[in-house]
Amino acid sequence: MNNANAVKNDQSANADSRAGKYLTFFLASEEYGVEILKVQEIIGRMPITPVPLTSRYIRGVINLRGKIHPIMDLKIKFGMEETQITDETCIIVIKTTSMMMGILVDKVSEVINIASGDIEDTPSFGGDVNPEYLLGVGKTGGRVRLLLDIEKVITASDIINMKKAAAGEGKDAMAEL
Amino acid sequence: MNLNRLAISLIELNPENPADLEEFKKNLLSCYNNTQGRIQNILKEACFEADAMVDQVPELQRNIIARLGVLLEQAMGSDETDISATTEQTSQVEPAREPDSIDVQHVMLSADLDADLLNEFIIENMEWATMAESAILDWEQNPGNQELLNTIFRGFHTIKGTSAFVNLDCVKDLAHQVESVLAKVRDGEHVFTRSYANLALKSLDVIKSILEQMKSSGPGQQIELPRGYQGLLESLRNFVPDEQVQEMAIPAEESMVEPEAAAPAYTKTNRGKIAKKEGEASSEQSASSNKIREQMTESTVRVKVDRLDKLLDTVGELVIAQTMVGQDNLIVSGKYHELNKKISQAGKIVRELHDLSMFLRMVPLKGTFQKMVRLTRDLSLKHGKMVSCITEGDDIEIDRNMVDMVADPLIHLIRNAVDHGIEFPEERRRAGKSENGRIYLTAGHAEGSIMLTVWDDGRGMNRQTIVNKAIQKGLIDSAERMTDQEVWQMIFLPGFSTAEKVTEVSGRGVGMDVVKQAVEALRGRIEVQTTEGQGCTFIMRMPLTMAITDGMIVKVGSQRYILPTANIHKAVRPQEPDIHTVNQRAEMLSFRDEMVPVIRLYRFFDIPDSLTDLTSGLLVVIGEGKQRCALFVDELLGQTQVVTKLLGKGMNNVPGIAGGAIMGDGTVGLILDASGIVSIARQQTNTTT
């Protein structure tokens, strides 16, 4: 009995940190979720200024009430097709302790409460998929939502891409020859 | 017998009386035996001088006394074990006691103090200390000015009072001692001498350094007392005015007259008279100065920096929003005349608000200039030169963020001027100049920018020395075709600064490239003008604020970028013959008889939809000297003024991009970093070839 209780406590403590309100959104046909407390706001599409010599998944920067914020294309980051901007495309502005960044998503879905019992650990996929970005898998109302560890996603440090610049220049020079 | 007493006995010495002379020599010898190291060496020299004095005619004897004064001065100066050079004359000698002051002491900040209160205390006392410092420097120039003395007193008194309130005894004691020393001057008991100023300034330095330390700690934490605190307190307690030595050692001719006149017995009455006169004047003066002080407190409000920044951001947004309304199709169509009028009226107010908010960031240069005056004073004392720094235009205001950045190049220039520019008094006398060297530090507005000049009347620069050094360093082959101006500009070259020998011979060139870099970081330019034997002038021009960048909007394909106007030399639409290729790969533009490498911006930034034919686009020549290059862009779209902003975390080091700016239509425009582009383009051509 004692033993069982201890195990249960352990589990709930573990799950507790993941349980809570999530904002969910679509990337292509998959539904993802981010913790609502990390979301500063949701804005409709607006003109994005591309920044040269940065990684492909950085779509550029936007002006949000006088402050400049970078915008990340999550689909490119996750190895999918580049996001096509439509009327439903949204930018979710994420605020972490250290930075602010917008993420580009195909469609915002809803805010749901996911209980600890509904969260499963991320299975290991092997191959290309990086499970580090996932907190777990939420299952409510018969739908599967991939819960993102958004802080890990956006603090990846390889934003500036010098290689691209060098390669581009080299390629063109070669072409001219 | 300590050095101070010895110095005083030297003043009272009657050289015609052999017994006096013997007595003095005996004292000197005993002093010599009690000291060691450098001081002993100096005193040894003094002993020789004194020996030589015995059989001389009176005039020569007076000369020797003057020299002895200088030597004693030196001895007292080197006796100072403190770090700071400002206190050379303040120490109370007795070397055995000095080592105590090196022990580091700690003071506990009282734990029951409110952190906000403590903060308030620090800020306020810093202000008082700065004010007192400025008053002391002025006072030194006009010792008779009672009002200045009152300002100094108010400063120390307030510091003392508030320190007692927060139980900061170390500061309180110091301020109290300074007050009592200065009180003797105020009450006419002593006459002003430089040593008072030295002591007071040193005390302020210590107080400021204690306050600085408090900034980084909080209630209940320990702070370290600055080295030399005890020694300073000690010398304040035992302060004996050594005015006679001072006056004798510094202006050499005056010492011929002074010894008798300044002997304590005679001058007491004189001083009394002066003090009385000043006393009469002071009653009304102090009333008026009180009034000034009241006005000052009434007219300023302290605002937190982040609130101010937020306000400025918001106003910037308002301007953009207003522009967007003004450019709306409904308005541009011109159908709604009344609405147009209202909107343009609102626009005027918004612009005015914007201008006003920009002024909020501005602070006067006064603080910076005051630091320079202090620096000049300390340096000239250290070098045994007589230099005064005269400032003009210290009410000119610049951006708060620029104040510290302006100070660095100024410090460098002043240091150079005192070290190398201004000659020693004898040399100046020989050259027919006044012994007192002058450095003018002026600020003014010129063509929408701010102009700072540092002018000294020293020896100036020698063309031949600079040319020789440049040839030796391999910077040039020959200077035959160079104008003087081109020669002077060479001192700003990076390779030039390492030339230590040049600094000794020609007097200039220490780290001038650092100065240039600092000025360029402020988006400014620096020029130098010099006439050999008459001095040197450095002229710096920089924008009033770093917050606003003047730029040209350039178009490359579908992208627009902002190129700071300060970087642009010229934009040309090239003709076929102007373009030359190297290995069919690299391209060059001939520009004013110079071959300038071409950088195709679209290739650099990987932009697919731009022009590719050089003759159909524009080449913008940017950069200086070897860094010069021509950027290929589609066209110039116009001029703009933008507020530079950061791109967000992780994006601030994008090569070739200096930052972002909100454009008139609310989108983000990227500001190009000209020097960044040039250096990367260079690396890339190296790797691809």
Side-chain angles (χ1 to χ4, degrees):
Chain A
M1 182 67 188
N2 267 348
N3 230 358
N5 250 347
V7 170
K8 209 175 172 188
N9 278 342
D10 202 3
Q11 261 182 351
S12 64
N14 199 3
D16 262 351
S17 65
R18 294 188 291 183
K21 281 204 160 78
Y22 281 80
L23 172 71
T24 68
F25 55 86
F26 283 95
L27 298 180
S29 58
E30 298 165 359
E31 196 172 3
Y32 288 81
V34 289
E35 290 164 80
I36 197 87
L37 291 175
K38 301 257 165 68
V39 176
Q40 153 107 4
E41 63 188 291
I42 303 167
I43 46 181
R45 61 186 180 136
M46 59 194 309
I48 299 174
T49 305
V51 181
L53 308 188
T54 50
S55 294
R56 258 186 79 223
Y57 62 77
I58 295 294
R59 284 291 283 259
V61 288
I62 57 158
N63 161 29
L64 186 60
R65 291 187 299 278
K67 286 249 159 57
I68 298 175
H69 298 296
I71 301 298
M72 178 185 279
D73 188 331
L74 269 193
K75 279 161 80 181
I76 301 179
K77 176 85 179 173
F78 293 156
M80 299 186 253
E81 292 277 296
E82 183 182 319
T83 306
Q84 299 300 314
I85 309 269
T86 67
D87 281 348
E88 285 184 316
T89 311
C90 277
I91 294 168
I92 301 176
V93 182
I94 303 290
K95 186 182 186 181
T96 69
T97 43
S98 62
M99 66 189 295
M100 271 173 86
M101 185 183 267
I103 54 173
L104 202 60
V105 302
D106 282 333
K107 195 168 88 178
V108 168
S109 172
E110 58 184 337
V111 175
I112 51 158
N113 209 345
I114 303 186
S116 54
D118 295 334
I119 300 177
E120 261 181 40
D121 284 346
T122 319
S124 62
F125 303 101
D128 292 343
V129 179
N130 188 353
E132 219 185 87
Y133 293 147
L134 293 177
L135 285 172
V137 180
K139 298 177 300 176
T140 44
R143 274 151 68 178
V144 168
R145 294 171 175 102
L146 303 161
L147 306 181
L148 286 174
D149 187 346
I150 196 68
E151 215 151 324
K152 276 213 182 95
V153 177
I154 65 172
T155 46
S157 55
D158 51 347
I159 287 175
I160 294 167
N161 187 353
M162 284 291 292
K163 261 196 215 127
K164 188 168 112 186
E169 181 85 355
K171 199 174 59 202
D172 275 22
M174 294 305 278
E176 232 165 68
L177 276 177
Chain B
M1 176 60 94
N2 68 24
L3 277 177
N4 229 356
R5 297 275 146 66
L6 193 68
I8 291 166
S9 74
L10 176 68
I11 309 299
E12 289 164 344
L13 176 74
N14 178 3
E16 261 118 90
N17 182 349
D20 258 21
L21 207 56
E22 273 313 306
E23 173 76 20
F24 175 75
K25 273 168 68 182
K26 210 174 82 196
N27 287 335
L28 184 61
L29 206 63
S30 81
C31 241
Y32 168 72
N33 289 331
N34 286 333
T35 53
Q36 45 195 320
R38 240 194 91 201
I39 309 162
Q40 197 172 29
N41 286 340
I42 296 168
L43 288 179
K44 194 168 156 191
E45 210 176 311
C47 287
F48 285 135
E49 292 278 353
D51 273 341
M53 187 157 70
V54 184
D55 310 316
Q56 297 292 350
V57 287
E59 282 124 70
L60 281 176
Q61 282 182 334
R62 286 193 193 285
N63 278 342
I64 291 172
I65 291 181
R67 258 203 309 279
L68 280 172
V70 175
L71 285 170
L72 285 181
E73 175 87 0
Q74 275 176 11
M76 286 156 73
S78 57
D79 177 70
E80 186 69 80
T81 45
D82 285 349
I83 356 139
S84 163
T86 59
T87 54
E88 276 167 3
Q89 287 79 24
T90 64
S91 76
Q92 277 303 303
V93 203
E94 275 152 75
R97 204 192 284 165
E98 284 299 318
D100 297 352
S101 66
I102 294 167
D103 289 344
V104 175
Q105 288 192 333
H106 293 275
V107 165
M108 193 72 139
L109 295 180
S110 168
D112 48 349
L113 281 174
D114 183 49
D116 285 342
L117 188 77
L118 208 59
N119 213 17
E120 204 49 25
F121 163 80
I122 295 167
I123 295 170
E124 200 172 295
N125 278 316
M126 272 294 188
E127 268 171 25
W128 280 107
T130 312
M131 207 174 81
E133 187 181 354
S134 135
I136 292 169
L137 290 171
D138 283 347
W139 183 47
E140 214 175 18
Q141 304 302 320
N142 330 292
N145 191 334
Q146 197 69 21
E147 196 180 330
L148 286 170
L149 193 55
N150 286 335
T151 312
I152 301 168
F153 258 99
R154 257 199 313 279
F156 279 107
H157 193 78
T158 315
I159 292 172
K160 182 175 96 176
T162 45
S163 308
F165 183 64
V166 297
N167 296 330
L168 198 66
D169 285 346
C170 52
V171 173
K172 188 194 79 185
D173 290 347
L174 201 58
H176 175 74
Q177 293 298 341
V178 176
E179 241 189 312
S180 36
V181 166
L182 290 179
K184 291 183 184 152
V185 180
R186 186 185 54 182
D187 303 340
E189 213 173 299
H190 292 158
V191 115
F192 166 81
T193 70
R194 184 163 260 184
S195 53
Y196 284 106
N198 276 330
L199 210 53
L201 285 174
K202 178 74 204 294
S203 311
L204 281 176
D205 285 347
V206 170
I207 291 174
K208 276 185 179 176
S209 104
I210 293 176
L211 290 173
E212 274 303 327
Q213 283 195 46
M214 285 171 65
K215 256 189 209 168
S216 48
S217 57
Q221 282 180 13
Q222 263 195 349
I223 54 166
E224 203 175 279
L225 282 183
R227 281 163 58 110
Y229 171 79
Q230 278 305 332
L232 184 64
L233 208 57
E234 206 61 16
S235 29
L236 280 165
R237 283 203 188 106
N238 307 334
F239 186 71
V240 177
D242 47 357
E243 69 253 48
Q244 294 89 349
V245 183
Q246 289 294 326
E247 276 159 10
M248 186 174 160
I250 296 173
E253 315 98 287
E254 272 172 38
S255 67
M256 299 297 107
V257 204
E258 285 291 345
E260 290 89 358
Y266 295 97
T267 45
K268 195 89 191 176
T269 47
N270 272 342
R271 285 175 204 151
K273 251 185 246 162
I274 295 166
K276 214 166 155 198
K277 229 191 286 165
E278 280 165 3
E280 284 161 18
S282 74
S283 54
E284 46 188 294
Q285 271 172 351
S286 67
S288 71
S289 70
N290 274 340
K291 217 184 282 164
I292 292 168
R293 176 67 201 159
E294 264 167 36
Q295 277 169 2
M296 267 172 64
T297 44
E298 267 171 17
S299 60
T300 57
V301 173
R302 231 176 256 136
V303 181
K304 284 211 175 83
V305 171
D306 53 346
R307 283 189 198 165
L308 190 62
D309 285 346
K310 211 167 217 167
L311 174 73
L312 296 179
D313 269 349
T314 316
V315 172
E317 275 300 289
L318 183 63
V319 172
I320 290 158
Q322 165 71 26
T323 318
M324 282 160 81
V325 172
Q327 285 171 358
D328 193 277
N329 284 335
L330 199 69
I331 309 297
V332 177
S333 70
K335 280 185 206 148
Y336 307 92
H337 188 62
E338 277 303 306
L339 183 62
N340 272 6
K341 258 168 67 186
K342 286 169 192 159
I343 284 171
S344 81
Q345 176 66 20
K348 268 184 210 152
I349 298 171
V350 167
R351 267 195 302 280
E352 198 173 338
L353 186 63
H354 186 241
D355 287 347
L356 282 176
S357 72
M358 282 301 162
F359 275 119
L360 292 181
R361 305 171 62 102
M362 303 297 226
V363 292
L365 278 168
K366 195 169 184 348
T368 315
F369 274 22
Q370 191 194 317
K371 268 185 218 149
M372 300 307 141
V373 174
R374 175 80 196 274
L375 180 75
T376 312
R377 177 190 181 278
D378 292 354
L379 281 176
S380 58
L381 276 181
K382 198 168 148 197
H383 289 276
K385 293 179 182 179
M386 290 154 65
V387 190
S388 48
C389 182
I390 299 141
T391 62
E392 198 186 300
D394 59 4
D395 52 344
I396 299 280
E397 296 186 325
I398 60 167
D399 196 301
R400 180 175 56 81
N401 301 336
M402 288 170 72
V403 171
D404 290 337
M405 293 166 79
V406 167
D408 287 344
L410 283 182
I411 288 174
H412 233 100
L413 290 176
I414 298 263
R415 203 177 274 274
N416 259 355
V418 178
D419 273 9
H420 312 298
I422 304 274
E423 312 90 329
F424 282 99
E426 314 90 73
E427 204 181 328
R428 289 183 66 90
R429 216 178 313 144
R430 273 203 302 277
K433 294 196 243 184
S434 141
E435 281 185 11
N436 197 353
R438 280 168 303 169
I439 296 175
Y440 284 96
L441 179 59
T442 62
H445 290 291
E447 297 154 16
S449 56
I450 203 161
M451 193 166 93
L452 290 172
T453 51
V454 178
W455 178 74
D456 68 72
D457 65 350
R459 54 170 80 96
M461 294 193 289
N462 179 303
R463 176 180 166 117
Q464 201 48 48
T465 330
I466 293 175
V467 168
N468 288 348
K469 198 72 206 177
I471 293 174
Q472 192 190 326
K473 287 265 156 193
L475 296 169
I476 49 167
D477 296 327
S478 143
E480 265 172 41
R481 281 167 50 205
M482 290 174 85
T483 62
D484 277 355
Q485 191 56 41
E486 281 168 336
V487 170
W488 308 143
Q489 286 296 328
M490 285 196 302
I491 63 169
F492 294 116
L493 294 176
F496 208 85
S497 63
T498 52
E500 258 168 52
K501 209 160 158 229
V502 163
T503 52
E504 280 160 29
V505 181
S506 81
R508 283 299 157 103
V510 177
M512 291 308 290
D513 63 316
V514 180
V515 174
K516 190 176 188 195
Q517 275 169 20
V519 175
E520 277 171 1
L522 290 160
R523 297 204 209 106
R525 291 183 184 186
I526 184 164
E527 280 167 39
V528 56
Q529 289 163 5
T530 178
T531 315
E532 198 179 350
Q534 288 180 25
C536 220
T537 313
F538 288 91
I539 303 168
M540 289 174 274
R541 283 169 220 272
M542 48 191 84
L544 284 173
T545 168
M546 295 278 287
I548 296 177
T549 310
D550 270 312
M552 303 293 278
I553 306 173
V554 298
K555 179 171 170 282
V556 183
S558 53
Q559 302 299 318
R560 291 169 310 166
Y561 297 102
I562 300 155
L563 191 57
T565 313
N567 296 130
I568 302 179
H569 286 281
K570 205 181 178 180
V572 290
R573 188 173 290 280
Q575 304 291 316
E576 202 69 63
D578 298 334
I579 311 283
H580 307 271
T581 56
V582 182
N583 295 348
Q584 291 295 308
R585 196 183 309 154
E587 290 153 321
M588 291 188 301
L589 166 77
S590 61
F591 171 73
R592 292 181 191 153
D593 298 332
E594 205 184 317
M595 296 310 267
V596 180
V598 172
I599 296 176
R600 292 175 179 244
L601 202 57
Y602 70 87
R603 210 181 268 172
F604 186 70
F605 280 168
D606 210 7
I607 298 163
D609 51 356
S610 77
L611 297 175
T612 54
D613 178 14
L614 289 186
T615 52
S616 60
L618 268 184
L619 284 171
V620 185
V621 181
I622 56 169
E624 292 283 347
K626 284 185 175 166
Q627 290 281 303
R628 184 166 287 183
C629 70
L631 275 188
F632 176 61
V633 299
D634 291 5
E635 59 178 313
L636 288 181
L637 294 178
Q639 222 178 355
T640 184
Q641 282 195 325
V642 291
V643 178
T644 310
K645 297 191 168 187
L646 298 176
L647 287 188
K649 195 147 182 223
M651 304 275 288
N652 290 328
N653 297 316
V654 180
I657 304 288
I662 314 295
M663 307 291 282
D665 59 0
T667 60
V668 179
L670 299 176
I671 301 170
L672 297 178
D673 168 19
S675 60
I677 291 176
V678 176
S679 60
I680 297 159
R682 241 161 246 286
Q683 280 170 23
Q684 286 178 357
T685 33
N686 286 344
T687 52
T688 48
T689 43

